Every structure is written in structure tokens, then in C-alpha cells.
Amino acid sequence: MPGPTMFVPPRRVRRGAALTLVFVGVLTAGAAVGSWGGEAQDGRTPSWQRTPPRTAARAVDRSALEAAAEEAAQDGRSGSEAASEVLDRSGDAWSAVYSPREYEGFALALDGAYVGVGLTTRRAAGGRMEVDSVRPGGPAERAGVRAGDRIRSVDAVDVTGRPVTEVVSLLRGDGRALTAWPAAAPGTPVRVGLQRGDRRWERTLLRERLATESVEVGRLAGPGSAGAPATLIKVAAFTKGTGERVRDAVRAAAPREGVLLDLRGNSGGLLAEAVTTASAFLDGGLVATYDVHGRQRVLRAERGGDTRRPLVVLVDGGTMSAAELLAGALQDRGRAVVVGTRTFGKGSVQMPSRLAEGSVAELTVGHYRTPAGRSVDGSGIAPDLVVRGDAEQRARTVLGGLGGGS
């Protein structure tokens, strides 16, 4: 069962419109079938990124949830739903109760995976649904599906004019739009009606367990001979192995070459992976503190990180939880210049606890603070340079001023 996590859109949203997945953006791995699609790219703030109403929360312990679940079971009702009702009355926007199936999907996402057919979708003119990209080696590619193909139907349901999220839901087999939990198991079939030019055909694809790509590494070339190149590291979510992939990217960069660490839209994930990522840029020392039932605990970076390489961190309103903690740590430690807009503001700690019927409660047990003692919850991280336009270009300019990029 996962330990403390920092990847949690509000419970009321999570249940129906959950995570960006995993987390992706999971997430930019995003519109993958098992992903999201283009609707969150139109400049509006997706519902899962909006700060919930902040009311005085009443602490709820496991015993209260167990009692509610047991009483419901005796009356022939769902224990997990009864426990959820108790949480609703508490006013805690971040605690949640998951059914065994939902939590299985949550754990799968944290592990950097999803169940799908390996394609991303976009909505084209006239409400047509099209394939945006195809994952190499996935079920869709093996069936001959190409980017640009039109998706006409999924399991005999006409998808023209439907939201991208509904099409993703049909492809995943969960029957609910924007759910992050893979209700369909690997090996289950989905019949897809396709069109390429005048040709129309159908293919039956078998869903598979596919890995998400939480880290993308690219190069930022300097203009001509005037500016040095830099490394761009985009982290979509802190799933298993993310920290090591970031450290590998930093080690592979040329000596003293600058790094632009893009955390925009990163909804969090495994806290340990965020600490490992911080260790790529710090030589030990404090990353954050947090309390569990009033007892303070300390998170420290490993020794041996690159402390001299110029570093700029990009953030926005979709930067949440563990991503906020990372940005705040690098900012407080004087290790990076943070550019963009104020982050989301989710800094509470949830711990999982198994209930009756196999359901799992994730209850708020404390809050995180940055090395300087700042609370993230409800306030977020304010960037050093606020940029609402082309933030990446401004970040590159700042990186160049630090001696590490164009």
C-alpha cells in the first residue's frame, strides 16, 4: 500500500473527474487511453485543479469510519459509501475513501502505469474525434491505427460530438467520464470504428497495462553562437522511478549546462520521488518537514547532487502537492529561480488505512512545510518572477542570465 502521497485532487472531484494520470498530467502521458485528451489545453482551469472551498475541517479517525462501515453493512448498505458520508460531513476536502477497485487503480497510477490501448485523442472540426498520437508497440499501433485517423465509434457508440473525456472513458471501459481508475482489466476487448480518408473499418483492440512517461528530456539550443544550450526536463507527475530519471538527465547534461525544470501541470505523486528529484540538485540538507498526528518528521536530500548547475523551475496553478514541495525547497535553499504563476496550494498529508470490505481510507494526518517553514496548504508557492504570458521563453531568458542557457 503506498505511503504518504501528495497527489490528490479534492475528493468530490476525484471520484468523478479525478487525477490528471496519475497522476498524468497521470497526465501528459495525458490523453492516453488511460489519459486525458485535449480539453484541459484550452486555457481554462480544469475542475480538478480548482481549489475547493476551504471550510473548518473536523478530524476524522479510522475508528469512526469503521463504525460507519460496519453499521451500513448490517443494514445491507455499502460500507465504503457510508464512510465517505462521514468524511463529507467532516469538511476535509482531501481525505477520501476508495473501493478496492478504485484503490487498485490509484496504486497502479502511482506505479507509473495505466490500462488502455495506447493512443491519445483530440477533438477536430465538426466534433470529429481523431487520434492525436499512437504509442509505439501498443495495441493501437499493432492494429494499424495511425495519428490522424478518425475515431467514429467505440463499442458501437457514436463518439462524434462527444467530449474527449467521454471517449477516453469508453476506450478505458469504465463507463464514467474522466475517471482515473481503470475499471477494465488488461486483456478486455474494445471495438473501435475508424476512418482514414474514404476508408472505414473496425478493429477489436485488447487493453494492456502500459507504462506512463512521467519525465521528458529535451534540448534547448542557444541562438547561433550567442547563448549556451540547456537541458529541458519536464516532469508530469512523481510516479515510481521519476526521481532517478531526473537524476540521470542531470548527470547526462554537459558540465555547467543549465537546466529548465518544468513542473507546470504536475499534480504530485509519491513524496519520496520528489525528494529524490530534489537530491539531483542539492548536496544533502532539508527538503521539507511534516507532522503526523502532531509529531514532526524531516525529509532530507541525499548527498552528492549538482549544486552548481544553473537551474530555473517553471510552475503554474496546476503545480500541486509534491511538485509544490519540490519547488518550495529549491527556492528556499537558494538553489533555483522559480518562474511562472502561484501554485495550487495543497500541502496536507494523507495516510492510507485499510477498512472493512477491502476499501481504503486516505485520511489527513498533518501538513507539510518548506525548509524556511512556509506552509503550502491554501497559499501555494509564489514564484520569484511572475509570468502570465510565454513563461517558458522568460524562463529561458532567466536561465541565460544565470549563465546556463539561451
Side-chain angles (χ1 to χ4, degrees):
M1 183 177 294
T5 60
M6 293 197 70
F7 173 76
V8 278
R11 180 181 67 260
R12 296 171 184 81
V13 173
R14 250 189 331 194
R15 304 281 299 195
L19 322 169
T20 300
L21 318 237
V22 202
F23 314 71
V24 205
V26 180
L27 340 180
T28 296
V33 174
S35 65
W36 304 129
E39 289 196 322
Q41 302 173 8
D42 60 3
R44 296 172 294 176
T45 303
S47 61
W48 56 267
Q49 290 184 356
R50 299 181 192 133
T51 304
R54 299 216 177 248
T55 57
R58 175 171 56 84
V60 177
D61 61 22
R62 174 179 173 177
S63 61
L65 298 183
E66 288 180 335
E70 290 177 4
E71 182 179 349
Q74 292 173 2
D75 295 338
R77 297 183 292 119
S78 168
S80 61
E81 289 183 4
S84 292
E85 291 173 1
V86 173
L87 286 181
D88 286 338
R89 293 194 294 270
S90 75
D92 184 351
W94 301 111
S95 292
V97 176
Y98 299 103
S99 70
R101 184 66 173 177
E102 288 175 328
Y103 202 74
E104 179 185 351
F106 186 31
L108 182 68
L110 284 168
D111 199 36
Y114 67 97
V115 175
V117 298
L119 60 81
T120 63
T121 60
R122 63 170 179 261
R123 189 168 178 175
R128 295 195 312 272
M129 193 61 52
E130 293 184 351
V131 176
D132 188 48
S133 65
V134 179
R135 181 187 182 90
E141 186 193 53
R142 294 199 302 271
V145 180
R146 301 178 190 171
D149 287 347
R150 178 180 177 181
I151 302 175
R152 300 184 59 86
S153 64
V154 178
D155 283 339
V157 176
D158 185 352
V159 299
T160 301
R162 291 178 179 267
V164 171
T165 53
E166 287 189 19
V167 179
V168 169
S169 181
L170 289 167
L171 287 163
R172 290 175 64 88
D174 55 61
R176 294 179 297 165
L178 260 182
T179 183
W181 320 122
T188 55
V190 55
R191 189 73 173 171
V192 183
L194 299 157
Q195 181 174 344
R196 184 182 303 155
D198 295 330
R199 179 193 172 203
R200 298 185 183 187
W201 76 103
E202 290 189 347
R203 285 287 185 274
T204 296
L205 309 179
L206 298 181
R207 300 180 179 97
E208 292 182 1
R209 187 181 190 274
L210 301 170
T212 59
E213 297 297 333
S214 62
V215 179
E216 295 182 12
V217 181
R219 297 278 294 171
L220 299 174
S225 59
T231 296
L232 171 65
I233 304 176
K234 167 68 176 177
V235 182
F238 291 104
T239 55
K240 188 175 181 180
T242 295
E244 276 303 321
R245 285 192 284 274
V246 172
R247 288 210 290 199
D248 289 345
V250 173
R251 291 166 179 159
R256 302 302 304 274
E257 181 175 280
V259 169
L260 180 56
L261 181 64
D262 190 349
L263 300 179
R264 292 176 296 178
N266 184 318
S267 50
L270 294 169
L271 182 58
E273 295 297 337
V275 174
T276 301
T277 299
S279 300
F281 303 102
L282 299 171
D283 186 20
L286 188 62
V287 174
T289 60
Y290 68 102
D291 58 281
V292 174
H293 300 305
R295 299 184 62 180
Q296 182 168 289
R297 303 184 183 184
V298 176
L299 297 170
R300 298 185 182 278
E302 297 177 20
R303 299 297 299 269
D306 190 325
T307 62
R308 303 184 65 184
R309 188 182 302 278
L311 176 63
V312 172
V313 178
L314 266 172
V315 298
D316 65 5
T319 305
M320 301 173 63
S321 301
E324 294 178 274
L325 207 62
L326 172 61
L330 296 174
Q331 186 181 55
D332 282 2
R333 297 282 302 273
R335 182 61 188 89
V337 176
V338 179
V339 176
T341 56
R342 185 178 292 272
T343 63
F344 183 85
K346 194 279 175 182
S348 57
V349 184
Q350 280 73 43
M351 295 284 286
S353 180
R354 187 77 65 179
L355 301 177
E357 301 179 346
S359 59
V360 176
E362 281 216 330
L363 303 179
T364 298
V365 296
H367 293 81
Y368 293 92
R369 292 185 178 276
T370 68
R374 293 184 292 164
S375 174
V376 174
D377 206 48
S379 57
I381 297 295
D384 299 304
L385 175 63
V386 177
V387 180
R388 301 186 183 278
D390 190 347
E392 182 173 323
Q393 185 56 50
R394 291 293 299 277
R396 293 180 63 176
T397 301
V398 172
L399 190 60
L402 297 175
S406 57

